[in-house]
Amino acid sequence: GAGVSQSPSNKVTEKGKDVELRCDPISGHTALYWYRQSLGQGLEFLIYFQGNSAPDKSGLPSDRFSAERTGGSVSTLTIQRTQQEDSAVYLCASSRPGSNEKLFFGSGTQLSVL
Amino acid sequence: SQQGEEDPQALSIQEGENATMNCSYKTSINNLQWYRQNSGRGLVHLILIRSNEREKHSGRLRVTLDTSKKSSSLLITASRAADTASYFCATDVRRDKIIFGKGTRLHILP
């Protein structure tokens, strides 16, 4: 596709359920980022991938959060045993090889935990 | 953790006026970027300024960088209704780790 694609665009789940969010970066982009944005707030860094490896996982809020990337392309962010405070927009971005100078963002997944 | 802090948090100006937003950061950087976000979804890259640059222009945008003060400013000249959005600065705290500030919400009044 032409841009970063995220799915689903909206997800409503019950507290305690697991959810999986997907990000399909721009073809050829080796760096991939996940951010979380609560209503009216800034972007909270979660994790980034360089290829399939994640050099920095320090932003993941708890061990209920995990992320993986396979084939240097699609990434999934998994939240286990969701809590109400997990409700937010989860944004994914990618950038070209060797460049962190311009991130291309997807439209995000709005997660609502009831 | 937040690296950048934008100021002000919110700004309302009349159409046609200039809008200035500021960003302060904590650590050394290679570059600083500004992004715009409409309707709380995906961000769009506006402009990048490198640590060895002091000023950069792009259309109606002017960005300055003062590395001694660890601060940057974004000026939007001759504002338009379409400029209503949230604006974020982003810094590379180390290679490939991009941290965003909390943003400035800009509202252009007709």
Side-chain angles (χ1 to χ4, degrees):
Chain A
V4 177
S5 177
Q6 290 189 246
S7 62
S9 57
N10 289 281
K11 176 72 176 177
V12 180
T13 190
E14 294 179 349
K15 178 182 173 181
K17 301 282 189 182
D18 297 350
V19 295
E20 203 171 85
L21 312 180
R22 176 187 169 108
C23 174
D24 202 338
I26 294 173
S27 178
H29 281 198
T30 55
L32 185 148
Y33 302 77
W34 283 100
Y35 295 90
R36 178 170 73 173
Q37 186 176 32
S38 300
L39 186 63
Q41 300 298 309
L43 276 69
E44 177 187 3
F45 171 84
L46 297 180
I47 189 171
Y48 82 91
F49 289 89
Q50 192 57 251
N52 291 334
S53 65
D56 191 328
K57 303 179 182 179
S58 63
L60 294 176
S62 74
D63 58 8
R64 296 186 295 105
F65 288 72
S66 63
E68 65 174 17
R69 189 180 186 194
T70 55
S73 182
V74 172
S75 175
T76 54
L77 177 69
T78 301
I79 309 173
Q80 296 178 312
R81 305 180 302 281
T82 52
Q83 303 294 314
Q84 288 185 332
E85 60 262 28
D86 299 334
S87 296
V89 175
Y90 289 81
L91 292 162
C92 174
S94 67
S95 65
R96 290 183 303 220
S99 170
N100 63 354
E101 298 184 350
K102 183 174 181 178
L103 301 188
F104 294 81
F105 278 84
S107 296
T109 293
Q110 171 73 65
L111 175 66
S112 300
V113 182
L114 304 179
Chain B
S1 62
Q2 298 293 141
Q3 157 76 328
E5 294 284 341
E6 287 88 345
D7 166 57
Q9 291 186 342
L11 178 63
S12 293
I13 61 171
Q14 294 293 137
E15 192 168 12
E17 292 182 341
N18 296 340
T20 300
M21 289 158 274
N22 303 297
C23 168
S24 60
Y25 56 93
K26 299 174 184 175
T27 65
S28 297
I29 60 172
N30 293 309
N31 62 65
L32 184 145
Q33 306 176 53
W34 285 90
Y35 288 78
R36 183 182 71 206
Q37 183 181 40
N38 293 88
S39 305
R41 286 302 185 108
L43 281 72
V44 175
H45 181 269
L46 294 176
I47 193 168
L48 175 147
I49 186 165
R50 301 185 192 283
S51 59
N52 61 354
E53 297 175 312
R54 291 297 168 259
E55 187 171 313
K56 201 162 183 179
H57 298 254
S58 177
R60 293 185 296 114
L61 305 180
R62 172 178 169 253
V63 171
T64 63
L65 179 65
D66 187 335
T67 53
S68 66
K69 295 180 180 179
K70 291 187 169 58
S71 67
S72 173
S73 67
L74 171 67
L75 169 68
I76 304 174
T77 60
S79 62
R80 306 168 181 170
D83 295 329
T84 294
S86 292
Y87 292 82
F88 296 86
C89 66
T91 53
D92 57 338
V93 297
R94 61 170 183 265
R95 180 177 170 78
D96 287 342
K97 182 173 181 178
I98 310 296
I99 301 296
F100 286 77
K102 294 181 179 179
T104 292
R105 295 186 306 280
L106 176 64
H107 185 54
I108 308 300
L109 303 168

